[in-house]
Structure formats: structure tokens, C-alpha cells
Amino acid sequence: MGKVVVVTSGKGGVGKTTSTAALGAALAQRNEKVVVVDFDVGLRNLDLVMGAERRVVYDIVNVIQGDAKLPQALIRDKRLDNLFLLPASQTRDKDALTPEGVERVMADLKRYFDWVICDSPAGIERGATLAMRHADMAVVVTNPEVSSVRDSDRIIGLLDAKTMKAERGERIEKHLLLTRYDVNRAERGDMLKVEDVLEILSIPLIGIIPESSDVLRASNIGAPVTLADAKSAPAMAYFDAARRLAGEDLPITIPGEKRGIFGKIFGRKAA
Amino acid sequence: MTKVLTDSRSIRIKGRSFLAVVLSPDLPLDEWLIQLDDLAARSAGFFLGRPVVLDVSDLAIDRGQLKALIEDLAKRNVRVMGIEGARPSMLEAGMPPAMKGGRPAADFEVEEKDPEPASDLRNSAPDKPAVPEQRQVTQSIVIGEPIRSGQSVIFPEGDVTIVGSVASGSEVIAGGSVHIYGALRGRVMAGSVGNASARIFCRKLEAELIAIDGVYKMAEDMDPNLLGKAVQLWLEGDVIMAETLF
């Protein structure tokens, strides 16, 4: 049985879709069968980031409503044989997702894949709660700023209350992924410090992704950053996060902290 | 302007619990009313000035009958302050409000004026054993994880202890004191049911709002020197006092 991971945040625009794609591609490069599932019905984006927007025929709503079979809706990635996408519908809204339908699809996906990674929509309503409902683990994507941290805190509370695992009295594994970490702003003290975020949210950290134009560039060419430019700083951070998600114990490095004296001087000039 | 800002008086909104007499009528109502008349005759003025709650949870009557019953009671100077256990369909505007969440207390002893009541009546009434007033047990709950934004802990029965932080956008409402072994960033209301001796303790004060016995203080009104410190807060008169703990 595969593991179901929900990538969630409460707040929009923090990097859920980017992180879903990057973690999915990173795990697939470890030779595990991975499917990324877009739960953002009506505002789908994961197909774009995965570069599959022109290959969408059926989507998750078609599968739930019985208009298509699951294998018909799954799109295989052109670069990685063991990476699949289950797209969301763009023409429907989140009410098209039914709890029974989602349960059936998740049960099927868990049978075929090692990792089922669900890209949650923003908010705390139906779409978000259905995306987290069947998760075994959660990746809480947070930016180092107060509104994102508070929304993440709210989502963690919902994860502990509204998921199947929580209702069975078990604990859902929660991991914090700090994204859009800006090295220059961190040096100036314009951002929340990593330890402050950790102190407020008190869940384990699986990675700090630096703010980088590489992420935007990858999105624009329709590739997860872990496939587009595997040597870039954000890609390396996502690879490490994926390894921690899979259970490996790696020390966390805060981007920019290991820079030498020359780096600092050049960093300031650039800023 | 300055006066408004420094005005320490504020509207107090409190909860308070009262002991009410609960009447649970039996069917047929006519006979029950006769028994009630009899009880009233033996103890004149028993219902005078007493809050009475009507418990109709086991009573199969409709709205009309309930209305008639309330009127019958009113004729006997029994004023019903609330109705417990009524279906919504039984209630209408103008009736006493529905009540719920009542906790049982010891039975009421009716003081009888007549030292020797008619023997048949005595037999018909169930024996009421003299239940000693139950000793008030101080209740408390302990929560071993952080209170997340959007969550609220409401415990009017007593003290709340939280081993963890109380996040911004969450609230804790306790009848007694609140102990937080972590940072307090949300709202905490202690002594919410009218307990002026309740206190609030926290390891790191960054609260949005704190209140004790209805007196509250917003984050802006707090002494900036206390922020981020381990603090205890208590009430002296109408003023919330605070001091650092360590």
C-alpha cells in the first residue's frame, strides 16, 4: 500500500503546487511509483507545472462521476516513466468532489502507487478538507511571514481533527516545508526567523526552499524544478526534503548561512 | 481622547449559575396539578420568588397543552423561567426560553408548615432521602498539545492547563484559572462564570486579549515590558494586575 501525502497550507500562493510537483518528481527519481493529484477543481495548475496541460483528456471529476476509468485519466510524465498526474477539472467547482468518490479514488491510487501526493487548494473549505481527508502524512507549506504561519497553524489544527487518521484516534504525520526563503531578506532581518516559525508551529521541518528565479523558470517551461534544473539550489533542497519525507535522517541546512566572507560581501552588493 | 483611552471602566459580561427548582410534571396533568396544589397548600409561598424550570423531556404533550400548562402554573403564581427538554415544535414566541446543559443537584426539601399532614398524601409522595449537599469538587482539564489557530477550548467547570502554546487566533475560556506552559498568543478568558480569584499563567505573554471575570485587556493596553516574559495575571477590584514570574 502506498502512502498518501497532502501538500497543504491554508494560504494561497505559498508554493503548494510547485512543491507537489517538485517532491513528486524527486521521489520518482528514487525509482518509486508516484502520482500527483490535483485537488484544486476549478483552478487547476498542477498540469501546467508538470507540463501536461495539452494532454488532459479526463480528470478526477470524470473518474469520481464514473465517466472515465482511473487509468484513462492518469497522465504519464514524458520524462519519468514512474511519475503520473491525475489532473483536476477546470470547468467544474469543488462541489463536484464527493467524499465517497474521493475515498474510492484514493483507495485505488494507494494500491498502484508508492506515493500519492495530493495538491490541496488554498482555504479550509470542502476542497482542502477532502484533499487532506485520506492522508497518512501532511506537508505544510509555509512562507516565513506571519499570515502564512497563522494559516498553517489553522491547517495543522484541521489535520488533527478532520482527517480519517485523526478520527480513528491515530496521529497524522505533519512536516513543515518552509518555502520562498529569501536569503537577502533573512540577512536583513525582514523575515520571520526559521526558529520562530518552528516555535510557533511546533512540527518537524523537512526542508527550507530558497526563493529563486529557477523555480519560476521551471514553472514556465512546464517542468518540476527537480527535473528542469536538478543542480539548482531549490531543486537540491527539494531532493533533500523528499529524502526526509521517505524517512531518511539528514541535517537541515539554512540557505545562505554557510556562505563565506566573500559571499556575504557579494550578496550585499547584489541586494 | 486621552480620557477615552485610559478609561478603565468596561462593560462586564459574565456567566453565572443559579440553583433553580425543576418541576417535572407527570401525565395526566390534571392530577399532577392537584398534587401541586396540595404541596403549595402545605408550604405556602414555596414557589414565591423561586426560579422554576419546567422539565418536559419525558412528557408527551403538544404545544397547546404546554401553553395551557404554563398558564395553569401562572395562575398558581408559579413563574416558569425556562423550559428544559422541549422539542422545538413545542415552543413558540412568548414562552419561556428553552434551557439545556443543566446539571443535577440535590433534591429540594419542601418545608412543611403543617407538622402533621394527611397520612395518605405522605404515602403518595416518594420518599426523599436527605441527600447531603455534594462537596464541590474542583475540576480541571489538562491538554497536552498546542492550541492551534481557530481552535477554542471552553471549560466553564474549572481550571485549564495547557502543555504547549496557545496560537494567535485561538481562544481558551475557563471557569477557573488558566495555566499555559508555552507561549500565549491567542485569547484567554479565565473565571468566565464569575470567578474573580481566577488567574492566568503563561511562559511567554504575547496575548491578543486576556480577561478575568469579565474584565479584559487588549494586547495594546498591556505593559510592553511584560511582552515575551513569563507572567501571571490576576484581578484586583476592576483592574487586571500582572507580574513576571521568573
Side-chain angles (χ1 to χ4, degrees):
Chain A
M1 283 293 246
K3 272 194 174 152
V4 180
V5 182
V6 61
V7 180
T8 186
S9 71
K11 191 169 157 53
V14 294
K16 283 183 295 297
T17 303
T18 306
S19 299
T20 304
L23 289 174
L27 286 166
Q29 287 174 68
R30 294 163 54 93
N31 287 324
E32 297 186 80
K33 274 192 98 177
V34 180
V35 61
V36 289
V37 184
D38 194 348
F39 268 88
D40 207 346
V41 176
L43 288 170
R44 75 173 190 215
N45 281 152
L46 190 56
D47 55 329
L48 288 170
V49 179
M50 298 291 292
E53 73 275 14
R54 294 193 207 158
R55 298 164 62 208
V56 176
V57 182
Y58 295 113
D59 55 54
I60 187 168
V61 173
N62 295 133
V63 176
I64 282 174
Q65 296 184 338
D67 304 330
K69 295 223 164 57
L70 187 55
Q72 292 177 292
L74 288 171
I75 302 169
R76 187 192 290 264
D77 189 86
K78 282 191 168 164
R79 296 144 296 205
L80 291 169
D81 274 355
N82 48 347
L83 177 61
F84 288 79
L85 163 71
L86 180 57
S89 168
Q90 182 71 352
T91 51
R92 309 296 293 273
D93 61 34
K94 283 156 187 89
D95 294 337
L97 297 172
T98 61
E100 303 76 31
V102 170
E103 184 170 4
R104 210 175 53 237
V105 170
M106 296 316 273
D108 284 348
L109 290 174
K110 261 164 86 167
R111 220 170 301 142
Y112 299 126
F113 292 95
D114 300 315
W115 294 92
V116 181
I117 305 180
C118 307
D119 181 21
S120 169
I124 53 172
E125 287 82 22
R126 189 183 176 86
T129 47
L130 279 175
M132 68 171 67
R133 183 107 186 107
H134 302 277
D136 301 305
M137 336 163 78
V139 172
V140 179
V141 182
T142 306
N143 292 166
E145 46 112 5
V146 282
S147 56
S148 174
V149 171
R150 188 203 264 178
D151 290 359
S152 293
D153 196 52
R154 179 93 169 92
I155 279 290
I156 295 168
L158 292 178
L159 286 166
D160 284 332
K162 295 254 170 107
T163 51
M164 293 288 279
K165 268 206 145 176
E167 284 175 10
R168 287 198 300 262
E170 297 165 36
R171 288 201 70 86
I172 176 163
E173 251 181 72
K174 299 169 293 276
H175 302 280
L176 177 67
L177 185 64
L178 206 57
T179 54
R180 312 196 69 166
Y181 185 88
D182 189 319
V183 178
N184 294 321
R185 286 177 59 204
E187 278 179 2
R188 290 199 302 268
D190 293 348
M191 271 185 336
L192 279 182
K193 290 197 192 77
V194 175
E195 57 264 35
D196 291 344
V197 179
L198 283 174
E199 203 257 320
I200 293 172
L201 295 179
S202 53
I203 56 171
L205 181 68
I206 56 159
I208 303 170
I209 313 298
E211 172 89 326
S212 159
S213 54
D214 296 325
V215 175
L216 188 65
R217 205 175 305 127
S219 294
N220 288 341
I221 62 163
V225 69
T226 41
L227 271 177
D229 189 357
K231 290 280 174 288
S232 66
M236 309 272 270
Y238 274 121
F239 278 119
D240 281 357
R243 289 172 66 186
R244 291 186 194 101
L245 201 60
E248 285 184 40
D249 195 12
L250 296 171
I252 299 242
T253 50
I254 297 177
E257 282 213 334
K258 280 189 176 164
R259 238 197 269 184
I261 181 101
F262 293 106
K264 267 190 183 152
I265 292 164
F266 289 122
R268 291 247 169 84
K269 270 185 184 164
Chain B
M1 192 68 190
T2 326
K3 199 182 171 206
V4 177
L5 280 175
T6 53
D7 199 346
S8 65
R9 283 172 302 169
S10 50
I11 297 171
R12 282 183 166 201
I13 300 168
K14 300 189 216 177
R16 191 162 293 172
S17 63
F18 296 89
L19 196 61
V21 178
V22 176
L23 282 179
S24 315
D26 301 311
L27 288 176
L29 290 173
D30 309 350
E31 281 181 27
W32 181 78
L33 283 168
I34 292 168
Q35 278 191 324
L36 185 77
D37 285 339
D38 192 73
L39 180 84
R42 281 181 288 132
S43 176
F46 176 74
F47 291 111
L48 212 67
R50 276 196 206 274
V52 173
V53 171
L54 200 57
D55 178 4
V56 295
S57 40
D58 297 324
L59 209 60
I61 56 170
D62 60 21
R63 188 192 300 183
Q65 286 169 301
L66 179 61
K67 203 175 174 185
L69 176 62
I70 294 168
E71 278 165 15
D72 282 334
L73 288 171
K75 273 184 226 152
R76 290 163 174 80
N77 285 327
V78 179
R79 291 172 60 189
V80 180
M81 61 169 280
I83 300 175
E84 192 183 17
R87 297 183 301 277
S89 64
M90 287 164 69
L91 299 172
E92 64 176 31
M95 278 193 188
M99 299 184 86
K100 56 187 175 187
R103 277 190 298 278
D107 279 347
F108 246 85
E109 292 298 324
V110 179
E111 275 181 42
E112 297 188 355
K113 270 191 170 173
D114 183 358
E116 280 181 354
S119 57
D120 58 337
L121 279 171
R122 183 174 252 181
N123 291 340
S124 68
D127 261 350
K128 286 179 182 171
V131 180
E133 187 68 30
Q134 276 192 339
R135 180 181 272 224
Q136 194 76 34
V137 182
T138 311
Q139 294 193 62
S140 60
I141 50 166
V142 178
I143 297 167
E145 45 201 45
I147 310 298
R148 304 284 181 183
S149 184
Q151 294 178 333
S152 64
V153 174
I154 302 173
F155 188 70
E157 289 85 359
D159 290 7
V160 175
T161 305
I162 294 151
V163 188
S165 294
V166 174
S168 159
S170 69
E171 63 181 10
V172 178
I173 302 174
S177 298
V178 178
H179 308 256
I180 299 160
Y181 293 91
L184 163 53
R185 302 191 175 94
R187 307 154 69 101
V188 168
M189 285 157 236
S192 66
V193 289
N195 179 359
S197 61
R199 291 188 179 206
I200 298 170
F201 304 84
C202 64
R203 286 258 290 263
K204 194 173 177 190
L205 180 74
E206 289 170 10
E208 292 165 353
L209 180 147
I210 49 161
I212 301 173
D213 189 20
V215 180
Y216 68 89
K217 224 180 173 94
M218 303 290 298
E220 290 182 346
D221 309 328
M222 290 175 208
D223 181 357
N225 294 324
L226 293 173
L227 296 184
K229 306 255 170 60
V231 170
Q232 70 158 323
L233 303 130
W234 70 98
L235 201 59
E236 263 176 32
D238 269 1
V239 184
I240 293 181
M241 309 292 286
E243 68 173 26
T244 52
L245 281 170
F246 312 112

